[in-house]
Amino acid sequence: MKKYVWLLWTTLISAVSFSQNALRISVKDSVSKEAISNATIVVNSAGKTTDDIGFSEFLNLRDGIYPIEISAVGYHSKKISVVLPDTSMHIVLLARKNAVLEDVTVIATTRNNQRIENSPLKVEVLGKEELDEENSIRPANIASLIGDFSGIQIQQSSAVSGNANVRIQGLDGRYTQILRDGMPLFEGFSGNFGVLTIPPLDLRQIELVKGSASTLYGGGAIGGLVNLISKRPTTKGEDILTLNQTTLKESDVNAYLSKRYKHFGYTLFSGYARQNFFDVNKDGFSDVPKLNTFIIHPRLFLYPSEKTTIITGYTGTFEKRSGGDVLVLDGKANSSHQFFEENKTKRNTGEFIVESNLSSRLKGTIKTSLSDFDRTIQTNTHFFHGKELNYYSEASALLSYDKTDWVGGLNFIGDQFTKKPSDPVLLNNFSNQTVGAFLQNTYRLRENDILETGLRLDHHFTYGNFVLPRIAYFHRFNEQWASRFGFGMGYKTPNALAPQTIEYNIEQLSLIANNIRAEKSYGFNAEVNYKKEYGEDNSFFINQALFLTRLSSPIIANELSSSTVVFQNAGKPIVSKGFDTYIQWSVAGWDIYAGYTFTIAERKYLQQNQFVPLTPKNRFATVIAKKISEKLRFGIEASYTGSQYRYDATKTPGFLFVAAMAGYNFNSHISLILNCENLLDYRQSKHEALYEGSMLDPQFKPLWAPIDGRVVNLSLRLKK
């Protein structure tokens, strides 16, 4: 009897073991045969993404026929069918698309394995191809590239330093959260010059979420968030050197090296930018500051097993920029010419990340960063030296099933601002610490319906507890039509050093009073889109979105007659609403993008003139690109910014900004790009003086248009 029981048991075990299979897939570029990382593979509604070498594996699959769909940013999707058992490696080749901007969602921001086009949370992406192009056009920073997104406004806040901030859907820059590899590093005092010192060559892609995105990344993403994703090494390796020169006396040298081996890999970026001051409108003050910037960013990747990646990295950014009276900058100061402002900044950042596939369904991530920001501000009338320490730690997990995904975790974020006691400013040392827990569920109700819910609980050590729910829903009507809608809440704690539309001198800023409350928000979004592919490389896509954000207890800055800036909560909200329309069309080798944003942003706490200053109601942008041959390509970009209200309730004129680019590839290793920004030479100074007062004490006006004029640059790119 025991013999038969044992035989039956072993037979059952063998049958079960025999029916459990592993499906291994490698995704590559159809032309270069280079591995495609972050490609999405869907098997029976369960999704995974490929790793840095283009590989993904599905375990514990029973015998049978499995339809599989593979998609990746910038590539045509592909469907295959596999019959298990099959122990072979399935190599899938994807063909590239011709596209200007892709409307996709990716794992780096959404953190789950949802199909690219079907995520309830819409994420717009600029991929490697666009970043490589921008490296040859504007190699020193990504500000103009982010401004290509519809609904995004890059607002220059200082005519002297050239600083700018990112505004989304009519809200001020302090409501935009900027992340580097999912970690917030640009906040408060350390947020200054953040976007202006990040070169595109060091990035794999940029991901943008418009509207509330607080569940996974904290309450600060009220207007939206920008996630900057660093490059990772590939087995093929990548060596790039870019040399750039502009007509505004800017010279840039950027280099990037990377390589992956079996158990380790590395990336190394190093860049230097030198810019001399330039007085474009000949009013005696610099419109472009004098600048010297050096950046170094090495990262080491360890692969102790196929399932685990360990990343350690360091980023050092060292910059000196000076603006003001051109005679002072030229070393010819006298009793009538003394005004200048000099900023010296040092940013040292360390990071540590561990990613591990603990099982076929469970992935765990631990990441932490520590950033020390040091800034010295010197003018002809004052001197200030301040520091800010930013720190962030997170442990999270992704648990995937056939019908649902769970993302949960804990994080701790903080910053500490310090100054010398002798510095003549009203601000004292202060700190912020927040501990948070988050949980997100993505549930596939049916084949074409996906519901996503999220909840974040934050405890700020000064301002108390915050509960942030979020819900989003996606429905696909058919292959062409789909829709989304969502609701989310956020908050922003008071910080006197948060970016403002007008950049105040630091000695003007007062302490945050004890009775100031945190700002709270809720936001809605809804959209419908249509997509049609026809022919080999022809496609058409249109998206129509509606948005509304209500910000209660907004913190407003008031400048007193003594020039001191005090902060207070307003009794009524700020409301921003409107719609966003954009079209992508690829036809006969032409790539066409057009976007229009209509925004009404109002300060309801005012009796009259409720408009939010320097916020255009109408904004239109278009990009047209054509690859004439394997060697020659060109593109033209145009944007129209409608009339804006100044702070004194007068209106600015609308204006047109035009840029053009032509690139020539001598071979696969050498390319040359000629680019011209602001072809029409539109400048605010053609309509009004940029300052009031005297040369000794100028009062610069808020900026609503470019001030640097027409710029031509020539860039040489060498790639191994």
Side-chain angles (χ1 to χ4, degrees):
M1 181 67 181
K2 290 183 179 179
K3 178 179 179 181
Y4 291 111
V5 171
W6 174 254
L7 180 62
L8 177 61
W9 177 252
T10 53
T11 302
L12 289 173
I13 292 295
S14 300
V16 171
S17 300
F18 181 77
S19 65
Q20 302 300 310
N21 302 283
L23 173 63
R24 298 182 300 158
I25 298 177
S26 176
V27 184
K28 298 182 179 182
D29 185 289
S30 62
V31 176
S32 68
K33 303 302 187 290
E34 183 177 347
I36 302 174
S37 61
N38 275 346
T40 301
I41 303 174
V42 179
V43 179
N44 278 355
S45 299
K48 284 191 174 183
T49 58
T50 55
D51 60 17
D52 295 337
I53 58 173
F55 174 79
S56 188
E57 184 178 29
F58 291 79
L59 302 176
N60 301 322
L61 298 178
R62 295 183 178 275
D63 294 352
I65 301 175
Y66 288 85
I68 302 168
E69 183 171 357
I70 304 97
S71 59
V73 176
Y75 290 86
H76 291 287
S77 299
K78 194 169 188 176
K79 294 181 179 180
I80 63 172
S81 182
V82 174
V83 180
L84 296 182
D86 186 344
T87 59
S88 62
M89 171 74 77
H90 296 274
I91 299 176
V92 180
L93 303 179
L94 296 185
R96 279 190 174 273
K97 288 182 177 181
N98 293 322
V100 181
L101 290 173
E102 293 282 338
D103 173 33
V104 297
T105 47
V106 292
I107 293 170
T109 292
T110 61
R111 301 205 202 189
N112 60 24
N113 292 319
Q114 188 60 49
R115 285 182 60 187
I116 287 175
E117 69 271 23
N118 287 359
S119 171
L121 179 68
K122 186 179 74 171
V123 183
E124 296 176 58
V125 173
L126 288 172
K128 186 175 181 295
E129 188 172 329
E130 289 80 24
L131 287 161
D132 286 347
E133 196 76 67
E134 187 71 6
N135 172 56
S136 300
I137 297 173
R138 297 293 296 270
N141 65 76
I142 57 171
S144 64
L145 185 61
I146 293 177
D148 289 342
F149 286 110
S150 64
I152 307 301
Q153 181 183 0
I154 302 300
Q155 180 76 50
Q156 186 170 338
S157 57
S158 172
V160 180
S161 67
N163 194 20
N165 54 70
V166 182
R167 302 179 62 189
I168 299 179
Q169 294 180 341
L171 296 176
D172 285 353
R174 67 180 182 273
Y175 304 118
T176 299
Q177 191 171 46
I178 298 178
L179 310 171
R180 183 70 183 259
D181 297 314
M183 294 182 282
L185 301 176
F186 308 96
E187 182 66 28
F189 190 58
S190 65
N192 290 292
F193 310 121
V195 175
L196 296 183
T197 54
I198 300 175
L201 182 59
D202 196 25
L203 299 175
R204 179 173 61 180
Q205 61 193 38
I206 300 174
E207 304 167 7
L208 171 73
V209 178
K210 301 172 188 173
S212 179
S214 297
T215 299
L216 299 179
Y217 295 104
I222 292 174
L225 69 83
V226 179
N227 198 2
L228 310 173
I229 309 301
S230 301
K231 288 183 176 179
R232 295 197 176 192
T234 62
T235 53
K236 183 179 179 180
E238 189 175 20
D239 300 333
I240 299 175
L241 175 67
T242 303
L243 307 175
N244 180 68
Q245 181 64 47
T246 79
T247 54
L248 288 184
K249 305 178 182 179
E250 178 185 349
S251 303
D252 305 276
V253 180
N254 288 334
Y256 176 81
L257 309 172
S258 72
K259 180 71 174 177
R260 172 169 176 168
Y261 301 93
K262 184 176 182 180
H263 293 297
F264 79 95
Y266 69 89
T267 63
L268 173 61
F269 171 84
S270 181
Y272 175 73
R274 183 182 184 277
Q275 167 83 64
N276 204 354
F277 66 88
F278 208 98
D279 180 11
V280 179
N281 63 346
K282 307 302 181 184
D283 65 352
F285 291 102
S286 60
D287 300 299
V288 177
K290 185 177 182 179
L291 174 71
N292 280 279
T293 302
F294 175 70
I295 301 175
I296 186 166
H297 184 201
R299 302 177 93 198
L300 176 64
F301 295 75
L302 303 176
Y303 310 102
S305 69
E306 291 184 356
K307 297 182 178 181
T308 301
T309 301
I310 301 173
I311 307 170
T312 59
Y314 162 79
T315 305
T317 303
F318 310 94
E319 180 180 272
K320 177 182 177 181
R321 63 173 67 206
S322 305
D325 192 312
V326 296
L327 290 180
V328 178
L329 299 178
D330 206 23
K332 300 176 182 178
N334 56 45
S335 58
S336 300
H337 298 270
Q338 296 186 5
F339 176 80
F340 76 96
E341 179 183 315
E342 180 181 271
N343 283 272
K344 293 181 180 179
T345 59
K346 293 184 292 184
R347 190 192 301 266
N348 294 283
T349 302
E351 62 174 323
F352 179 74
I353 302 172
V354 179
E355 302 170 344
S356 183
N357 293 315
L358 303 173
S359 71
S360 61
R361 297 188 181 277
L362 181 62
K363 178 180 180 180
T365 302
I366 296 174
K367 55 187 176 183
T368 184
S369 67
L370 181 66
S371 182
D372 177 66
F373 180 76
D374 184 296
R375 181 184 178 191
T376 299
I377 308 171
Q378 184 173 0
T379 73
N380 54 302
T381 58
H382 73 274
F383 176 88
F384 175 79
H385 183 198
K387 294 184 178 182
E388 184 164 282
L389 186 68
N390 295 78
Y391 39 92
Y392 180 82
S393 295
E394 179 190 296
S396 63
L398 166 64
L399 183 61
S400 298
Y401 293 97
D402 291 342
K403 292 291 186 180
T404 187
D405 298 323
W406 291 92
V407 177
L410 301 170
N411 64 9
F412 177 71
I413 182 173
D415 60 77
Q416 182 176 340
F417 170 78
T418 58
K419 68 177 185 67
K420 291 183 178 180
S422 59
D423 285 342
V425 296
L426 300 173
L427 295 176
N428 291 325
N429 297 345
F430 64 86
S431 62
N432 293 284
Q433 288 86 32
T434 304
V435 60
F438 56 90
L439 184 66
Q440 176 179 282
N441 174 255
T442 304
Y443 186 69
R444 290 169 280 279
L445 299 170
R446 295 184 296 274
E447 182 179 357
N448 295 323
D449 293 271
I450 302 171
L451 176 67
E452 189 166 271
T453 55
L455 181 67
R456 167 175 281 272
L457 304 176
D458 273 0
H459 174 72
H460 191 282
F461 285 26
T462 303
Y463 294 97
N465 300 318
F466 300 91
V467 180
L468 306 176
R470 185 178 73 85
I471 185 170
Y473 186 78
F474 174 86
H475 175 71
R476 178 170 293 282
F477 299 96
N478 51 44
E479 285 294 323
Q480 287 78 41
W481 290 94
S483 64
R484 290 182 180 92
F485 76 85
F487 165 83
M489 297 179 65
Y491 72 95
K492 185 74 173 177
T493 56
N495 191 328
L497 296 171
Q500 304 285 339
T501 306
I502 298 178
E503 188 170 298
Y504 298 105
N505 295 326
I506 196 165
E507 70 272 13
Q508 295 179 259
L509 302 176
S510 64
L511 297 169
I512 295 290
N514 293 331
N515 63 343
I516 300 297
R517 305 182 305 278
E519 303 169 276
K520 296 182 180 180
S521 73
Y522 64 76
F524 296 93
N525 68 278
E527 66 177 80
V528 62
N529 55 65
Y530 172 83
K531 180 180 180 180
K532 178 71 175 178
E533 294 187 3
Y534 51 96
E536 182 65 24
D537 285 310
N538 299 331
S539 64
F540 179 81
F541 178 85
I542 182 169
N543 175 274
Q544 177 63 60
L546 305 172
F547 63 87
L548 182 147
T549 302
R550 185 183 189 274
L551 187 69
S552 61
S553 302
I555 297 173
I556 57 176
N558 291 321
E559 186 172 359
L560 306 179
S561 57
S562 61
S563 295
T564 300
V565 176
V566 298
F567 299 91
Q568 65 183 64
N569 290 110
K572 292 185 179 181
I574 292 175
V575 178
S576 178
K577 57 188 176 182
F579 64 84
D580 190 15
T581 306
Y582 71 87
I583 296 171
Q584 293 172 223
W585 189 18
S586 295
V587 56
W590 290 85
D591 292 317
I592 302 168
Y593 164 83
Y596 170 71
T597 304
F598 176 80
T599 306
I600 298 177
E602 295 177 314
R603 300 171 292 178
K604 296 295 187 179
Y605 55 83
L606 295 179
Q607 294 296 321
Q608 55 184 358
N609 298 330
Q610 293 185 342
F611 54 81
V612 174
L614 307 183
T615 303
K617 182 179 291 187
N618 301 285
R619 190 170 186 271
F620 173 81
T622 185
V623 179
I624 301 174
K626 170 71 173 177
K627 187 176 181 180
I628 299 175
S629 66
E630 289 300 319
K631 291 183 177 294
L632 183 63
R633 64 196 186 281
F634 79 91
I636 186 166
E637 172 188 336
S639 64
Y640 174 77
T641 301
S643 177
Q644 309 167 56
Y645 281 103
R646 299 182 180 92
Y647 280 82
D648 62 3
T650 60
K651 277 190 171 184
T652 70
F655 64 90
L656 183 66
F657 182 96
V658 181
M661 178 276 294
Y664 186 81
N665 298 325
F666 293 94
N667 51 47
S668 60
H669 305 293
I670 303 174
S671 61
L672 194 67
I673 289 184
L674 179 66
N675 178 65
C676 181
E677 300 282 309
N678 201 352
L679 270 168
L680 304 180
D681 195 28
Y682 191 91
R683 289 181 275 124
Q684 182 174 329
S685 57
K686 289 185 175 182
H687 296 271
E688 63 183 19
L690 297 182
Y691 75 96
E692 297 174 337
S694 66
M695 294 292 292
L696 286 173
D697 185 25
Q699 306 298 314
F700 291 92
K701 297 179 181 180
L703 300 179
W704 50 266
I707 63 173
D708 54 0
R710 185 185 297 115
V711 186
V712 179
N713 75 288
L714 183 65
S715 178
L716 175 66
R717 173 176 164 172
L718 308 174
K719 182 177 181 180
K720 183 177 177 181

